[in-house]
Structures are given as structure tokens and as C-alpha cells.
Amino acid sequence: MDTDRFDELLDAALESGWIPVDASPAERAELEEMLAATGSLRTAGETAASEARASMPIARARFERFIASERAAALPAPAILVTSPKRGFFSRILVAHRSLSLAAMAVIALVVVGGLVGNQVFFQGVETAAALVPGDYAQVQGVVTSVSNENGKQTVHVDSGLGGIDIDISDSTSVVYEQNASDLSAVKPGATVLVGGLVVNNRLIAARTLALSSAASAVTAPRVLRFKELKELKDGLQGHVVTFSLAPDGVRARVLVETDSGESFLVIVDGRSAERLLKLERSLGAKVSVTALVAGVFSLQVTDQGAPPPPVTRPAGVGGTVTPPGAQAAPASPSLLKVNGIITARDGNVFSIQTRNGPASIVVTADTRIFLGESGLTVIAVRNGDSAIGHSVQVQGGIERASGKIRADTVVVGPKLPR
Amino acid sequence: MRDTEVGTDDPAAESRNESAELARLAVARDPGAWSRIFDLHWSAVYRFVRYRLSGSAEAEDIASQVFEIAYARADRFDYRGVPIEGWLMGIARNLARDQVKKLVRRGPEQELLETMDFAEPDEADSIDLRGDLVQAMDALTGDQRQVLQLRFLVDKSVADTAVLMDRSEDAVKNLQRRALAAMQRALAGPGYPVGRAG
């Protein structure tokens, strides 16, 4: 038998599942035996593929945690700067060049002032960029200013507290209107939108879920906030959440907090604080107080659950309707789909949840942010078979267009409830 | 001139460029790149190790270790020599082999046999690979076993298998035929249901 010819026949049979018609009886008999043997292998492969899909979210969380710990370990230890008392820069100059004229001093002063202003601008840019870190999951609220469709790719431009942001729309983007499934036709300029998605860069988010509300015509472009990263706790720091983003490992979150006095701070918080926000009816707009945790990392305590964001004010010169503070209740703000309940079953990446309104199926994807903090569960326990059945759970997300199932953007697993 | 011809309209060239860029970022331990690598290759790595291991939890653990080791050794990766997936598969093969060796050292031979026999005793953990088929696979050479793993358990094409094994496509087809024939001989009987072929 010609082995090259038989290799080709076998390859064709494996690809199509059918023995080529030009195979001789002897070749046919041998091919049948080989194909029969591959049947069991293929079945095993399909089962393993199903297992792989089911295990992916948890394995992904483990890998992200691993990367975070490796990166943390790789950071250099903080250097302790020891300096001996020295004469200052200006005094050294003055001592060395007593003959400097007043004009020369003025030039130096101008340079110093210019440098300070330059630094201010530089740091402003850095701080804005740090609010959205690539790979994080973020929730940002704003007003749609335009919707473009170029070469089949839809982009929504949103003015937000972080400035203008582009939102990439894909086939998997879910649109939620007043807690119900909707479609992209509802996303129009002027609409107030809450975006949940993955940060691509500091001006681009790949949307998982877009939430709209009937408040669309009541608000206009939000004021762009200038903020600094909070390094040291200020006494009694309180404010409302403007936007937040969650690191892939769920260990840290970045929360932009605006105080009642109009100051804004980017606050790096721990995973438990993120959980507290995600469990609220509406995370954005929640009133929080800030306490110190460890160097550079803070804790948030929610002081007013589900408070709507304050009325959005417009920058000078921008037209549109503005809701005057105190004149009327703030319009309902958009929020992602919320599901609270108890996990009753798990089939791969689909969790069955019993809610007050009946059963619901929740799809968990590789990009879903999962928090296990108060559940008593560990990733290892879940990996070793703990399916989290009986645990309370809070989900935020959208609705899969194809299946109609709820797709989780974030999942917070709580303690196991007594039967 | 060649650079001009191979522009962005060439999907193969574009794919190679993307892979090279991903590899470059992976070596720099860019978290986004590793997230992408995980998404692209988790399923294949899991399926590759699953065949040798007794249960899904163990396979998940070993597959997870593959990515952790790869990340930790990222600076040693040379994209010019081997694609990322091939590198991951190499780590996976070694880890799975070490895991089986540990079992050999740890317990009686029977424990190893049970470990390698997916059909029993725990149906929930079984991946439905018949015990006699596992034994037949063990009768193959390493290359033959690997070609069947990649082709049927990981569902790789002949072309992809050739890249991962650093062989020509003809060599893979040849190995595939010899592997299936050897498996048939090891099974020594026609006791398999007729497949889809007619």
C-alpha cells in the first residue's frame, strides 16, 4: 500500500468523517478501524473541552492573582533617603555668586515658577491616566455626545467626569434600559449612559454592558473633574463615587471620589471596599467615607446606600437642561442589571440563582470580576469542588443577546445561608 | 520590496506580527499580554494535560501551574524558536509527566493504574476515555502519543500539530497513521463501535 496515498486518504477521512470514494476495499477496511479508534479519543476531547470551559473563570482568577503577587514581589523595597544637612540650592547660589544682579534673580524665579506650572500640568495628565488602567473593569457614567459606525465598528463617544471617552461596541455588548434588555438603537446623543467594560486605554473602554435610563433628557455633559491620587488620609474625608475600576485580581480598586466641597480624589482601595460598592443598588453615586488601611491603600465605608448621583452640572457655555440642586429629586440614573439571590446549582460557567422573583441563570465569563471575600470560600475550595451552592450572591451585568441569559460583569459571593 | 508586498492585507503576515508583538510583551511580563495568552491557550493546555491526570481538579491545577511557570520564566522565552503555545505545551508535558512520576513514587502500582484509567471509579471525574484505550495509548511511542493527543484531544489541525511538534505536515500525517495503526494492534481486537465513516 502506498503510504503517502494512505496518509492523504486518512487525513481526508479524519477531516470529513467519511471515507473517500476512491479508497480501495483494503484501504477502506483499514480506514474504518482507524476512524473507529479516533471516535473515543474525540469524545474524550470534547468532554475535556467542556471541563476546560467550566474551569476557565476560576483558573483565570487564580492566574491573575498570581501575576499580581509576582508583580508586587518584584517591586523594589522603598528606599530610605538619608541626607545630611546641606546648604540649600538658592543659598549656595547666593553664596557663590553674590554678584548676581536682581535681573538674573528674576530670571531664575521665572524659570522656577515655569517649572512648577509645567509640573502641575504634567502631573494632571498622569493622574487622569491613572484613573483608568488597561485591563481593569470600569464603570463610568456620562452623556452620549455621538455614535459613529465606521466599517461596521460602532463607537459611542461619552462625556464623563473623566473627560471624553470612546466606548467600543461589539456583538457581545449588552444594552440595558431600565433593567430590561434593549438594543443599540436606544443609544443616542443626549442619553445618559452607564458603561461597564474593560479598559483598553485611558480614553477607550470596550463595553460589556451599556445601561440607559429615562433620565436621558434631563442631564447634560458632566463637569470634567480634576483630581489627585490620595496618598495620605485627610480627616473626615467623605464624598460620592464618581467612577471606579477593578483590577483583574480583585485585590485593588480605583475609586474616584468627589467631596461635597468639590475636591476630587482617586482613592486606591482594597477588594473588600470594592465588594461593598458592588453590593449596592447603585454603585456610582454612593456616599462613602474613607479610612486608611495600609500605605497608599484605603478602605471605603458606605454611608448612604444607593444614593443617586448628584445632579450633573454643565460646564460654562454648554447648552442643555441642568437640574438645579434641590429643585427637584434627581432623575433616576442608569444602572446595570442587578440580581440578588442564592446559588442553587452550577453547570459549568452557568450559575442558577433563586431570587425573590424566581429562578435566574447567570453566565460567568472569563472577564467577569468575582469576589469571594465574605463567602468564606477560597479559590482552592471552589476548585476542589465547592460549587458555592447555598451562598448568597449579588450580580451586576447585562443580558446576552443570543441566549437571553444574564451575563455577569461582577459577582460578589456572600456567606452560605442556613437552610 | 518584499516588505511592501506583505502589507496589512496579508492575514498570515498580520497574524505573525501580532504573535510576535504578543510574545514581545509576554517576555516583558505585560499583564495584558498574559491575560490574552491565557484566554487563547487555556483550553488547549487543559485538554493536553487532562488525558494523563485522574480528575478535573488535578488537571486544572496542573494547567494553572503551566501558566504560572511560563510567566515566571517569561524572560527565557525566545519567540524565534517556538510559538507561545508550543512553549506552553512543552511545560505542560513536563509537568504532567512529573505528576505521574510522583504518583508512581508515592503509592502502589495499582494507584497509578487507577489514576490513568479515566473510566473508573468516579464517573463524575471521568472524561470518558476507555481504560483499554488508555493502555493502548501507553503502548505508543512518545511522538505517536503526542500526535494523537494534539490531533484528537486538543483538536489541533495537522498544520498546527506540525508547528507544535516542530515537524513537517507530511511527517505529522505519517506519525498519525502509524500511531493509529499501532493503537489498533495494541487493542488487538475489533471491539470498537463503527465510527461515522461509511
Side-chain angles (χ1 to χ4, degrees):
Chain A
M1 192 180 294
D2 179 348
T3 54
D4 286 345
R5 170 182 157 77
F6 191 80
D7 285 345
E8 292 303 324
L9 288 173
L10 176 60
D11 194 43
L14 290 171
E15 287 302 312
S16 67
W18 297 93
I19 292 176
V21 291
D22 58 338
S24 69
E27 289 169 336
R28 173 175 289 270
E30 194 162 345
L31 287 169
E32 279 181 358
E33 286 183 352
M34 290 184 175
L35 288 178
T38 61
S40 285
L41 287 169
R42 285 189 195 277
T43 303
E46 285 164 11
T47 308
S50 172
E51 287 181 6
R53 278 194 297 276
S55 62
M56 191 173 186
I58 290 168
R60 192 178 211 286
R62 169 178 164 170
F63 185 51
E64 286 165 351
R65 252 187 286 277
F66 173 82
I67 288 181
S69 65
E70 288 285 303
R71 288 171 66 82
L75 288 175
I80 300 170
L81 201 61
V82 179
T83 54
S84 56
K86 284 181 181 175
R87 195 186 296 273
F89 175 73
F90 285 111
S91 59
R92 274 185 280 132
I93 288 179
L94 287 171
V95 168
H97 306 283
R98 288 182 192 280
S99 60
L100 272 178
S101 67
L102 278 176
M105 291 295 290
V107 170
I108 291 171
L110 274 175
V111 169
V112 170
V113 170
L116 288 172
V117 171
N119 272 342
Q120 193 72 22
V121 172
F122 174 75
F123 284 118
Q124 195 71 44
V126 169
E127 286 158 6
T128 303
L132 296 175
V133 175
D136 278 10
Y137 167 85
Q139 286 189 12
V140 177
Q141 183 171 318
V143 175
V144 176
T145 56
S146 66
V147 180
S148 66
N149 191 338
E150 289 182 13
N151 301 322
K153 181 174 177 163
Q154 280 193 297
T155 305
V156 176
H157 186 81
V158 172
D159 275 354
S160 73
L162 299 175
I165 291 177
D166 286 329
I167 310 297
D168 255 4
I169 306 296
S170 69
D171 291 341
S172 63
T173 301
S174 161
V175 180
V176 175
Y177 182 82
E178 299 279 341
Q179 298 287 298
N180 291 305
S182 184
D183 57 51
L184 286 169
S185 64
V187 183
K188 294 174 181 167
T192 301
V193 65
L194 189 158
V195 182
L198 298 175
V199 177
V200 179
N201 61 49
N202 67 320
R203 286 283 164 259
L204 180 63
I205 293 176
R208 283 173 65 86
T209 308
L210 289 180
L212 300 158
S213 79
S214 56
S217 60
V219 291
T220 60
R223 179 165 51 88
V224 178
L225 301 176
R226 293 188 167 196
F227 55 88
K228 298 183 266 192
E229 183 177 329
L230 186 66
K231 299 289 187 186
E232 288 183 6
L233 185 64
K234 294 172 179 288
D235 284 343
L237 181 58
Q238 293 192 11
H240 67 270
V241 175
V242 178
T243 182
F244 67 86
S245 66
L246 310 171
D249 59 12
V251 174
R252 295 278 186 273
R254 292 163 178 268
V255 183
L256 184 56
V257 175
E258 185 179 22
T259 67
D260 291 342
S261 62
E263 281 186 295
S264 299
F265 296 97
L266 181 67
V267 186
I268 311 297
V269 303
D270 65 329
R272 288 296 180 94
S273 299
E275 283 187 24
R276 289 182 203 114
L277 284 181
L278 295 172
K279 287 160 73 173
L280 299 176
E281 278 302 304
R282 188 180 291 114
S283 305
L284 298 189
K287 290 258 188 180
V288 292
S289 63
V290 183
T291 55
L293 209 58
V294 293
V297 180
F298 300 87
S299 176
L300 292 185
Q301 304 297 327
V302 177
T303 57
D304 186 358
Q305 296 193 20
V312 179
T313 55
R314 65 183 176 189
V318 176
T321 306
V322 178
T323 307
Q328 61 184 56
S333 290
S335 66
L336 304 190
L337 203 67
K338 296 283 174 64
V339 179
N340 298 335
I342 298 170
I343 299 172
T344 56
R346 175 186 177 180
D347 180 13
N349 67 331
V350 180
F351 286 82
S352 299
I353 295 177
Q354 185 63 40
T355 73
R356 284 183 182 175
N357 300 322
S361 294
I362 308 293
V363 179
V364 173
T365 71
D367 289 321
T368 300
R369 298 296 192 257
I370 300 172
F371 293 84
L372 299 170
E374 294 179 5
S375 66
L377 297 172
T378 64
V379 174
I380 292 173
V382 174
R383 285 178 56 243
N384 287 338
D386 196 327
S387 58
I389 289 173
H391 283 260
S392 64
V393 66
Q394 281 101 6
V395 177
Q396 291 191 17
I399 299 172
E400 276 191 341
R401 282 189 232 172
S403 67
K405 289 178 180 168
I406 297 162
R407 189 194 54 204
D409 280 15
T410 65
V411 174
V412 179
V413 181
K416 191 166 190 171
L417 301 178
R419 291 189 177 185
Chain B
M1 185 65 191
R2 183 173 172 76
D3 287 345
T4 308
E5 287 171 356
V6 185
T8 52
D9 290 341
D10 182 347
E14 201 168 326
S15 173
R16 278 196 300 275
N17 289 340
E18 281 177 17
S19 298
E21 176 64 7
L22 188 60
R24 187 187 64 75
L25 291 170
V27 169
R29 295 199 176 92
D30 177 86
W34 279 96
S35 178
R36 176 89 179 124
I37 288 168
F38 184 89
D39 289 345
L40 287 173
H41 302 303
W42 167 258
S43 180
V45 170
Y46 178 96
R47 292 157 76 177
F48 187 75
V49 300
R50 179 66 177 90
Y51 150 70
R52 298 296 295 178
L53 303 170
S54 62
S56 55
E58 195 175 11
E60 187 182 318
D61 187 43
I62 295 294
S64 293
Q65 287 183 41
V66 170
F67 287 91
E68 290 165 5
I69 289 172
Y71 179 87
R73 297 178 183 170
D75 51 352
R76 301 185 207 169
F77 175 61
D78 182 0
Y79 176 69
R80 292 165 301 177
V82 62
I84 289 173
E85 189 174 24
W87 183 50
L88 294 172
M89 291 297 188
I91 297 171
R93 188 169 51 248
N94 291 336
L95 275 181
R97 188 182 57 212
D98 290 349
Q99 182 70 7
V100 172
K101 278 182 184 172
K102 274 184 204 167
L103 289 169
V104 173
R105 283 197 297 269
R106 198 172 60 202
E109 191 177 349
Q110 184 59 32
E111 185 182 353
L112 175 63
L113 289 174
E114 285 174 1
T115 299
M116 297 171 72
D117 186 348
F118 291 116
E120 59 182 5
D122 185 355
E123 285 299 320
D125 261 347
S126 165
I127 73 160
D128 198 23
L129 195 58
R130 294 165 45 153
D132 52 351
L133 198 55
V134 172
Q135 288 174 7
M137 288 278 278
D138 283 343
L140 307 181
T141 66
D143 280 349
Q144 289 173 349
R145 197 161 46 236
Q146 190 176 356
V147 84
L148 294 190
Q149 273 181 273
L150 291 172
R151 289 283 286 126
F152 304 112
L153 295 177
V154 186
D155 201 25
K156 291 291 178 191
S157 67
V158 168
D160 287 344
T161 304
V163 171
L164 290 172
M165 293 184 69
D166 197 20
R167 302 285 183 96
S168 69
E169 291 189 28
D170 283 344
V172 167
K173 287 178 185 174
N174 189 272
L175 257 178
Q176 174 178 265
R177 172 178 51 75
R178 283 188 282 136
L180 288 172
M183 202 162 73
Q184 279 300 109
R185 283 195 300 276
L187 289 166
Y192 287 91
V194 176
R196 288 174 296 169

